[in-house]
Amino acid sequence: MKIIVFGATGNTGKRVLAQGLKMGHEMTAFVRNSKKLFDQLGEHSTQYVNVIADDIMDPVSVGEALVHQDVAIIAAGHAGQGEEFVRIVDNIITQCEFQPSFSGRVWIMGGAGLLGIPYTDLIGNNLPGFPPEYKNHNRNFERLQQTQLDWTIMCPGTMSDSIKHPVPVHLHVTTETLPIPIPEKIKEYSEAEITHHLFSRLQELDVAYDDVAKCMLDHIELGGTFKRKRVGLAYRGEGR
């Protein structure tokens, strides 16, 4: 498939790019700094990547980059950028809507705080004590709900280069809700108590960048299982 990665030199984007190449996809990297991309990928890999070095906030550049693409993966920006992050996502989504030759399949990055908390009608980002900048993910989620595109929002916890597990594990994937077991009695907790409970279990949501990238690339078809859904990831012991 033809896949464009926005933010292809970031921690997530560069892994999507590398794995996509290995899987035989036709990869396009939309970046600010092509030299950084070449340094990361190496001379051999870069000859197989279509590179667009341009302004991600320029509607014309983004729209042209989307021509005939099957999938757009938005790995650019982060919640701490505030309004700029929201504008980045909105610009790309808008150009995905306007570009007639784009298939309509989009993955964007969110965070575990966007996922529903079982037995409640709450999400973490709206609880007291959660960093206020996380609500920028809420705004991007609201933007997605307004579009007819075939979108999915990846909602991992803390990501790292690799994670060592003392026992064999598998990647547990959920839609809409947190991917860790939550006790039913949580529905009796106050919002402050729910925050404390979740913060005490944050480490259970740690996941490797490579697994996040693989999950997205394994689900890039139109109309798939994750269409218009939030996706959570966590590791579970084998057999559980």
Side-chain angles (χ1 to χ4, degrees):
M1 297 180 75
K2 294 182 178 180
I3 303 173
I4 184 168
V5 183
F6 292 93
T9 57
N11 283 317
T12 304
K14 67 183 181 182
R15 288 167 170 85
V16 172
L17 197 63
Q19 288 192 34
L21 286 173
K22 289 180 181 178
M23 295 169 73
H25 297 298
E26 183 177 327
M27 305 299 293
T28 296
F30 194 107
V31 296
R32 287 180 299 179
N33 187 336
S34 58
K35 182 181 184 304
K36 182 177 180 181
L37 178 72
F38 296 148
D39 290 344
Q40 288 177 344
L41 283 179
E43 185 177 347
H44 175 71
S45 294
T46 51
Q47 63 182 310
Y48 300 106
V49 178
N50 301 313
V51 180
I52 300 173
D54 217 323
D55 180 5
I56 203 168
M57 295 303 298
D58 178 31
V60 174
S61 298
V62 172
E64 291 176 349
L66 287 163
V67 172
H68 300 307
Q69 295 291 339
D70 297 311
V71 184
I73 295 180
I74 306 174
H78 57 83
Q81 289 176 285
E83 195 67 33
E84 181 182 2
F85 178 48
V86 175
R87 290 201 308 269
I88 287 171
V89 172
D90 179 63
N91 182 48
I92 299 172
I93 294 298
T94 299
Q95 298 315 309
C96 287
E97 293 169 328
F98 288 169
Q99 178 49 252
S101 69
F102 174 67
S103 80
R105 184 71 178 114
V106 179
W107 271 96
I108 86 164
M109 296 299 298
L114 267 180
L115 295 168
I117 301 167
Y119 309 111
T120 78
D121 58 359
L122 301 169
I123 67 170
N125 287 350
N126 294 341
L127 290 171
F130 271 66
E133 60 266 27
Y134 286 8
K135 289 195 175 182
N136 292 314
H137 288 307
N138 296 21
R139 295 172 65 189
N140 290 339
F141 182 38
E142 290 165 4
R143 175 65 179 87
L144 289 175
Q145 292 173 307
Q146 296 167 8
T147 183
Q148 297 303 308
L149 296 170
D150 183 345
W151 57 264
T152 309
I153 184 164
M154 173 60 73
C155 302
T158 301
M159 294 181 286
S160 60
D161 289 340
S162 63
I163 298 175
K164 293 183 179 180
H165 302 279
V167 296
V169 298
H170 70 276
L171 191 66
H172 178 60
V173 183
T174 58
T175 56
E176 308 298 354
T177 61
L178 287 167
I180 57 176
I182 299 293
E184 187 173 355
K185 64 181 180 181
I186 201 167
K187 63 187 179 184
E188 302 168 8
Y189 293 0
S190 68
E191 290 191 358
E193 288 171 332
I194 294 174
T195 297
H196 177 74
H197 179 83
L198 295 180
F199 280 7
S200 72
R201 301 182 62 189
L202 285 180
Q203 192 171 1
E204 295 177 53
L205 292 166
D206 292 352
V207 65
Y209 286 111
D210 281 327
D211 286 329
V212 171
K214 184 177 187 302
C215 183
M216 289 192 284
L217 288 167
D218 283 346
H219 297 89
I220 56 174
E221 71 282 359
L222 279 168
T225 306
F226 297 153
K227 181 179 180 178
R228 300 183 70 85
K229 294 184 183 297
R230 294 163 287 170
V231 171
L233 305 175
Y235 298 112
R236 290 271 187 93
E238 294 292 351
R240 293 182 60 188

